[in-house]
Amino acid sequence: MHLRCALRCPTGPMRWRATQFVRWAPLWRQMHSTNIVHGDLTSSNVLAVSSSELVLIDFGLVASSSLVEDRAVDLYVLERALVSTHGHYEPPLFDTFAAAYAAVSAKNAEVLVHLEDVRSRGRKKLAFG
């Protein structure tokens, strides 16, 4: 099942589904800590194999990068996808995810600080001037 479908699934309370999503923050953290930038982090590109196991798919835009900028753009894509697809969650899913992502290391907190710069530019503004 895609993570997108799991988050929309009518079974189980919304808070439980949001909590499950936050438990998956280590997947992104682990990927970034090994200098892998996915390029298309969305809830549609994660398969929930079980309630505790996720598989990341669609590596067509993957790149190897240790740049904080690239990791921040990766999270920006995730944030935009969550807001557009799962914007009904309160508190917003990305806010909850960001707290779990930053709690792991100072490097991750730095990525989130840089995310503010990426937000101010917007993904398309950077690409097209």
Side-chain angles (χ1 to χ4, degrees), residues 7-35:
L7 288 169
R8 287 185 167 181
C9 178
T11 60
M14 191 175 289
R15 180 180 297 281
W16 178 87
R17 287 179 271 151
T19 302
Q20 294 302 308
F21 176 74
V22 171
R23 283 186 43 222
W24 300 328
L27 179 67
W28 283 275
R29 175 195 45 78
Q30 180 181 14
M31 186 179 62
H32 283 169
S33 70
T34 57
N35 296 331

mmCIF file of all heavy atoms in Angstrom, residues 7-35:
data_model
loop_
_atom_site.group_PDB
_atom_site.id
_atom_site.type_symbol
_atom_site.label_atom_id
_atom_site.label_comp_id
_atom_site.label_asym_id
_atom_site.label_seq_id
_atom_site.Cartn_x
_atom_site.Cartn_y
_atom_site.Cartn_z
ATOM 1 N N LEU A 7 -2.281 7.006 4.640
ATOM 2 C CA LEU A 7 -2.631 8.242 5.340
ATOM 3 C C LEU A 7 -4.075 8.650 5.084
ATOM 4 O O LEU A 7 -4.674 9.355 5.874
ATOM 5 C CB LEU A 7 -1.682 9.373 4.927
ATOM 6 C CG LEU A 7 -0.269 9.245 5.469
ATOM 7 C CD1 LEU A 7 0.646 10.255 4.791
ATOM 8 C CD2 LEU A 7 -0.234 9.412 6.966
ATOM 9 N N ARG A 8 -4.638 8.203 3.975
ATOM 10 C CA ARG A 8 -6.031 8.521 3.657
ATOM 11 C C ARG A 8 -7.008 7.446 4.113
ATOM 12 O O ARG A 8 -8.204 7.633 4.065
ATOM 13 C CB ARG A 8 -6.194 8.712 2.146
ATOM 14 C CG ARG A 8 -5.602 9.982 1.647
ATOM 15 C CD ARG A 8 -5.913 10.148 0.202
ATOM 16 N NE ARG A 8 -5.618 11.499 -0.211
ATOM 17 C CZ ARG A 8 -5.811 11.934 -1.422
ATOM 18 N NH1 ARG A 8 -6.298 11.146 -2.356
ATOM 19 N NH2 ARG A 8 -5.517 13.173 -1.736
ATOM 20 N N CYS A 9 -6.464 6.308 4.530
ATOM 21 C CA CYS A 9 -7.286 5.166 4.914
ATOM 22 C C CYS A 9 -8.278 5.552 6.020
ATOM 23 O O CYS A 9 -7.888 6.159 7.013
ATOM 24 C CB CYS A 9 -6.387 4.040 5.388
ATOM 25 S SG CYS A 9 -7.268 2.588 5.939
ATOM 26 N N PRO A 10 -9.545 5.195 5.859
ATOM 27 C CA PRO A 10 -10.534 5.579 6.861
ATOM 28 C C PRO A 10 -10.457 4.795 8.164
ATOM 29 O O PRO A 10 -11.071 5.170 9.137
ATOM 30 C CB PRO A 10 -11.866 5.305 6.147
ATOM 31 C CG PRO A 10 -11.554 4.249 5.149
ATOM 32 C CD PRO A 10 -10.134 4.480 4.725
ATOM 33 N N THR A 11 -9.670 3.706 8.201
ATOM 34 C CA THR A 11 -9.597 2.923 9.430
ATOM 35 C C THR A 11 -8.570 3.529 10.369
ATOM 36 O O THR A 11 -7.517 3.974 9.950
ATOM 37 C CB THR A 11 -9.216 1.462 9.127
ATOM 38 O OG1 THR A 11 -7.950 1.451 8.485
ATOM 39 C CG2 THR A 11 -10.248 0.794 8.253
ATOM 40 N N GLY A 12 -8.895 3.526 11.617
ATOM 41 C CA GLY A 12 -7.980 4.060 12.625
ATOM 42 C C GLY A 12 -8.097 5.568 12.743
ATOM 43 O O GLY A 12 -8.368 6.254 11.769
ATOM 44 N N PRO A 13 -7.912 6.077 13.941
ATOM 45 C CA PRO A 13 -8.008 7.516 14.141
ATOM 46 C C PRO A 13 -6.889 8.266 13.433
ATOM 47 O O PRO A 13 -5.798 7.749 13.233
ATOM 48 C CB PRO A 13 -7.898 7.673 15.657
ATOM 49 C CG PRO A 13 -7.306 6.412 16.147
ATOM 50 C CD PRO A 13 -7.620 5.342 15.151
ATOM 51 N N MET A 14 -7.170 9.495 13.034
ATOM 52 C CA MET A 14 -6.220 10.322 12.302
ATOM 53 C C MET A 14 -4.926 10.505 13.094
ATOM 54 O O MET A 14 -3.845 10.483 12.531
ATOM 55 C CB MET A 14 -6.853 11.674 11.971
ATOM 56 C CG MET A 14 -6.042 12.483 10.987
ATOM 57 S SD MET A 14 -6.856 13.999 10.510
ATOM 58 C CE MET A 14 -8.176 13.397 9.494
ATOM 59 N N ARG A 15 -5.018 10.668 14.397
ATOM 60 C CA ARG A 15 -3.816 10.866 15.217
ATOM 61 C C ARG A 15 -2.908 9.645 15.113
ATOM 62 O O ARG A 15 -1.693 9.768 15.017
ATOM 63 C CB ARG A 15 -4.189 11.125 16.673
ATOM 64 C CG ARG A 15 -2.986 11.329 17.572
ATOM 65 C CD ARG A 15 -3.379 11.575 19.014
ATOM 66 N NE ARG A 15 -4.136 12.777 19.219
ATOM 67 C CZ ARG A 15 -3.617 14.002 19.276
ATOM 68 N NH1 ARG A 15 -2.335 14.154 19.094
ATOM 69 N NH2 ARG A 15 -4.358 15.055 19.483
ATOM 70 N N TRP A 16 -3.494 8.441 15.100
ATOM 71 C CA TRP A 16 -2.688 7.231 14.987
ATOM 72 C C TRP A 16 -1.952 7.218 13.660
ATOM 73 O O TRP A 16 -0.762 6.933 13.594
ATOM 74 C CB TRP A 16 -3.580 5.991 15.091
ATOM 75 C CG TRP A 16 -2.787 4.719 14.929
ATOM 76 C CD1 TRP A 16 -2.138 4.033 15.911
ATOM 77 C CD2 TRP A 16 -2.550 4.016 13.711
ATOM 78 N NE1 TRP A 16 -1.508 2.944 15.373
ATOM 79 C CE2 TRP A 16 -1.753 2.897 14.036
ATOM 80 C CE3 TRP A 16 -2.942 4.210 12.396
ATOM 81 C CZ2 TRP A 16 -1.336 1.984 13.076
ATOM 82 C CZ3 TRP A 16 -2.524 3.303 11.435
ATOM 83 C CH2 TRP A 16 -1.732 2.195 11.783
ATOM 84 N N ARG A 17 -2.627 7.570 12.568
ATOM 85 C CA ARG A 17 -1.989 7.566 11.252
ATOM 86 C C ARG A 17 -0.865 8.591 11.193
ATOM 87 O O ARG A 17 0.192 8.331 10.636
ATOM 88 C CB ARG A 17 -3.023 7.821 10.153
ATOM 89 C CG ARG A 17 -3.909 6.596 9.950
ATOM 90 C CD ARG A 17 -4.941 6.845 8.891
ATOM 91 N NE ARG A 17 -6.117 7.409 9.533
ATOM 92 C CZ ARG A 17 -6.965 8.224 8.949
ATOM 93 N NH1 ARG A 17 -6.782 8.609 7.711
ATOM 94 N NH2 ARG A 17 -8.008 8.689 9.594
ATOM 95 N N ALA A 18 -1.059 9.753 11.783
ATOM 96 C CA ALA A 18 -0.007 10.772 11.809
ATOM 97 C C ALA A 18 1.184 10.287 12.631
ATOM 98 O O ALA A 18 2.335 10.501 12.264
ATOM 99 C CB ALA A 18 -0.561 12.076 12.371
ATOM 100 N N THR A 19 0.915 9.604 13.732
ATOM 101 C CA THR A 19 1.980 9.063 14.565
ATOM 102 C C THR A 19 2.788 8.028 13.794
ATOM 103 O O THR A 19 4.018 7.994 13.879
ATOM 104 C CB THR A 19 1.395 8.419 15.850
ATOM 105 O OG1 THR A 19 0.644 9.406 16.542
ATOM 106 C CG2 THR A 19 2.476 7.872 16.737
ATOM 107 N N GLN A 20 2.102 7.192 13.021
ATOM 108 C CA GLN A 20 2.799 6.204 12.207
ATOM 109 C C GLN A 20 3.703 6.886 11.183
ATOM 110 O O GLN A 20 4.830 6.463 10.964
ATOM 111 C CB GLN A 20 1.794 5.289 11.488
ATOM 112 C CG GLN A 20 0.990 4.421 12.413
ATOM 113 C CD GLN A 20 1.864 3.540 13.277
ATOM 114 O OE1 GLN A 20 2.726 2.830 12.783
ATOM 115 N NE2 GLN A 20 1.676 3.598 14.577
ATOM 116 N N PHE A 21 3.225 7.964 10.597
ATOM 117 C CA PHE A 21 4.022 8.694 9.617
ATOM 118 C C PHE A 21 5.307 9.218 10.253
ATOM 119 O O PHE A 21 6.389 9.115 9.679
ATOM 120 C CB PHE A 21 3.215 9.842 9.009
ATOM 121 C CG PHE A 21 4.016 10.678 8.062
ATOM 122 C CD1 PHE A 21 4.327 10.197 6.806
ATOM 123 C CD2 PHE A 21 4.479 11.924 8.429
ATOM 124 C CE1 PHE A 21 5.086 10.947 5.934
ATOM 125 C CE2 PHE A 21 5.226 12.681 7.565
ATOM 126 C CZ PHE A 21 5.529 12.188 6.310
ATOM 127 N N VAL A 22 5.215 9.775 11.442
ATOM 128 C CA VAL A 22 6.388 10.315 12.123
ATOM 129 C C VAL A 22 7.390 9.212 12.434
ATOM 130 O O VAL A 22 8.600 9.432 12.375
ATOM 131 C CB VAL A 22 5.977 11.075 13.397
ATOM 132 C CG1 VAL A 22 7.181 11.449 14.228
ATOM 133 C CG2 VAL A 22 5.203 12.311 13.014
ATOM 134 N N ARG A 23 6.913 8.038 12.713
ATOM 135 C CA ARG A 23 7.817 6.911 12.975
ATOM 136 C C ARG A 23 8.674 6.607 11.755
ATOM 137 O O ARG A 23 9.716 5.977 11.871
ATOM 138 C CB ARG A 23 7.019 5.664 13.356
ATOM 139 C CG ARG A 23 6.515 5.696 14.775
ATOM 140 C CD ARG A 23 5.856 4.399 15.190
ATOM 141 N NE ARG A 23 6.590 3.232 14.760
ATOM 142 C CZ ARG A 23 6.012 2.138 14.256
ATOM 143 N NH1 ARG A 23 4.722 2.061 14.113
ATOM 144 N NH2 ARG A 23 6.743 1.102 13.897
ATOM 145 N N TRP A 24 8.239 7.063 10.603
ATOM 146 C CA TRP A 24 8.969 6.778 9.371
ATOM 147 C C TRP A 24 10.008 7.849 9.034
ATOM 148 O O TRP A 24 10.704 7.745 8.033
ATOM 149 C CB TRP A 24 7.985 6.589 8.226
ATOM 150 C CG TRP A 24 7.029 5.456 8.483
ATOM 151 C CD1 TRP A 24 7.272 4.313 9.182
ATOM 152 C CD2 TRP A 24 5.679 5.360 8.057
ATOM 153 N NE1 TRP A 24 6.160 3.512 9.217
ATOM 154 C CE2 TRP A 24 5.165 4.136 8.527
ATOM 155 C CE3 TRP A 24 4.849 6.184 7.314
ATOM 156 C CZ2 TRP A 24 3.870 3.717 8.273
ATOM 157 C CZ3 TRP A 24 3.557 5.762 7.062
ATOM 158 C CH2 TRP A 24 3.071 4.546 7.538
ATOM 159 N N ALA A 25 10.121 8.872 9.844
ATOM 160 C CA ALA A 25 11.132 9.916 9.619
ATOM 161 C C ALA A 25 12.548 9.329 9.529
ATOM 162 O O ALA A 25 13.358 9.821 8.746
ATOM 163 C CB ALA A 25 11.057 10.988 10.701
ATOM 164 N N PRO A 26 12.871 8.273 10.275
ATOM 165 C CA PRO A 26 14.219 7.699 10.155
ATOM 166 C C PRO A 26 14.561 7.215 8.744
ATOM 167 O O PRO A 26 15.728 7.195 8.367
ATOM 168 C CB PRO A 26 14.202 6.533 11.141
ATOM 169 C CG PRO A 26 13.210 6.937 12.176
ATOM 170 C CD PRO A 26 12.135 7.665 11.398
ATOM 171 N N LEU A 27 13.558 6.841 7.963
ATOM 172 C CA LEU A 27 13.817 6.421 6.581
ATOM 173 C C LEU A 27 14.462 7.556 5.795
ATOM 174 O O LEU A 27 15.476 7.376 5.134
ATOM 175 C CB LEU A 27 12.507 5.988 5.918
ATOM 176 C CG LEU A 27 12.568 5.540 4.465
ATOM 177 C CD1 LEU A 27 13.355 4.240 4.346
ATOM 178 C CD2 LEU A 27 11.161 5.351 3.923
ATOM 179 N N TRP A 28 13.905 8.753 5.914
ATOM 180 C CA TRP A 28 14.456 9.914 5.212
ATOM 181 C C TRP A 28 15.790 10.328 5.834
ATOM 182 O O TRP A 28 16.719 10.677 5.127
ATOM 183 C CB TRP A 28 13.471 11.075 5.251
ATOM 184 C CG TRP A 28 12.359 10.889 4.272
ATOM 185 C CD1 TRP A 28 12.377 11.231 2.953
ATOM 186 C CD2 TRP A 28 11.076 10.319 4.515
ATOM 187 N NE1 TRP A 28 11.171 10.902 2.368
ATOM 188 C CE2 TRP A 28 10.355 10.340 3.303
ATOM 189 C CE3 TRP A 28 10.460 9.779 5.645
ATOM 190 C CZ2 TRP A 28 9.060 9.864 3.187
ATOM 191 C CZ3 TRP A 28 9.161 9.306 5.524
ATOM 192 C CH2 TRP A 28 8.481 9.345 4.309
ATOM 193 N N ARG A 29 15.863 10.282 7.144
ATOM 194 C CA ARG A 29 17.101 10.642 7.827
ATOM 195 C C ARG A 29 18.232 9.720 7.396
ATOM 196 O O ARG A 29 19.328 10.162 7.084
ATOM 197 C CB ARG A 29 16.911 10.569 9.337
ATOM 198 C CG ARG A 29 18.200 10.828 10.106
ATOM 199 C CD ARG A 29 18.114 10.404 11.559
ATOM 200 N NE ARG A 29 17.527 9.112 11.818
ATOM 201 C CZ ARG A 29 18.141 7.938 11.655
ATOM 202 N NH1 ARG A 29 19.380 7.886 11.210
ATOM 203 N NH2 ARG A 29 17.533 6.817 11.940
ATOM 204 N N GLN A 30 17.959 8.430 7.349
ATOM 205 C CA GLN A 30 18.984 7.457 6.961
ATOM 206 C C GLN A 30 19.422 7.695 5.523
ATOM 207 O O GLN A 30 20.613 7.669 5.212
ATOM 208 C CB GLN A 30 18.448 6.042 7.124
ATOM 209 C CG GLN A 30 19.456 4.976 6.742
ATOM 210 C CD GLN A 30 18.896 3.582 6.885
ATOM 211 O OE1 GLN A 30 17.690 3.398 7.028
ATOM 212 N NE2 GLN A 30 19.759 2.593 6.834
ATOM 213 N N MET A 31 18.487 7.960 4.653
ATOM 214 C CA MET A 31 18.801 8.214 3.257
ATOM 215 C C MET A 31 19.703 9.444 3.130
ATOM 216 O O MET A 31 20.728 9.413 2.454
ATOM 217 C CB MET A 31 17.494 8.413 2.475
ATOM 218 C CG MET A 31 17.669 8.552 1.001
ATOM 219 S SD MET A 31 16.084 8.749 0.193
ATOM 220 C CE MET A 31 15.526 10.276 0.917
ATOM 221 N N HIS A 32 19.338 10.529 3.804
ATOM 222 C CA HIS A 32 20.132 11.753 3.740
ATOM 223 C C HIS A 32 21.497 11.582 4.404
ATOM 224 O O HIS A 32 22.481 12.166 3.952
ATOM 225 C CB HIS A 32 19.372 12.918 4.375
ATOM 226 C CG HIS A 32 18.299 13.453 3.494
ATOM 227 N ND1 HIS A 32 17.350 14.344 3.946
ATOM 228 C CD2 HIS A 32 18.015 13.238 2.181
ATOM 229 C CE1 HIS A 32 16.533 14.643 2.945
ATOM 230 N NE2 HIS A 32 16.919 13.982 1.872
ATOM 231 N N SER A 33 21.584 10.798 5.461
ATOM 232 C CA SER A 33 22.860 10.625 6.150
ATOM 233 C C SER A 33 23.863 9.838 5.304
ATOM 234 O O SER A 33 25.064 9.905 5.547
ATOM 235 C CB SER A 33 22.665 9.942 7.502
ATOM 236 O OG SER A 33 22.301 8.597 7.325
ATOM 237 N N THR A 34 23.385 9.122 4.301
ATOM 238 C CA THR A 34 24.273 8.399 3.389
ATOM 239 C C THR A 34 24.438 9.165 2.073
ATOM 240 O O THR A 34 24.849 8.593 1.068
ATOM 241 C CB THR A 34 23.760 6.974 3.113
ATOM 242 O OG1 THR A 34 22.439 7.043 2.585
ATOM 243 C CG2 THR A 34 23.767 6.139 4.368
ATOM 244 N N ASN A 35 24.101 10.466 2.096
ATOM 245 C CA ASN A 35 24.265 11.368 0.947
ATOM 246 C C ASN A 35 23.408 10.983 -0.262
ATOM 247 O O ASN A 35 23.797 11.224 -1.399
ATOM 248 C CB ASN A 35 25.734 11.497 0.540
ATOM 249 C CG ASN A 35 26.553 12.134 1.628
ATOM 250 O OD1 ASN A 35 26.050 12.941 2.413
ATOM 251 N ND2 ASN A 35 27.813 11.772 1.707
#
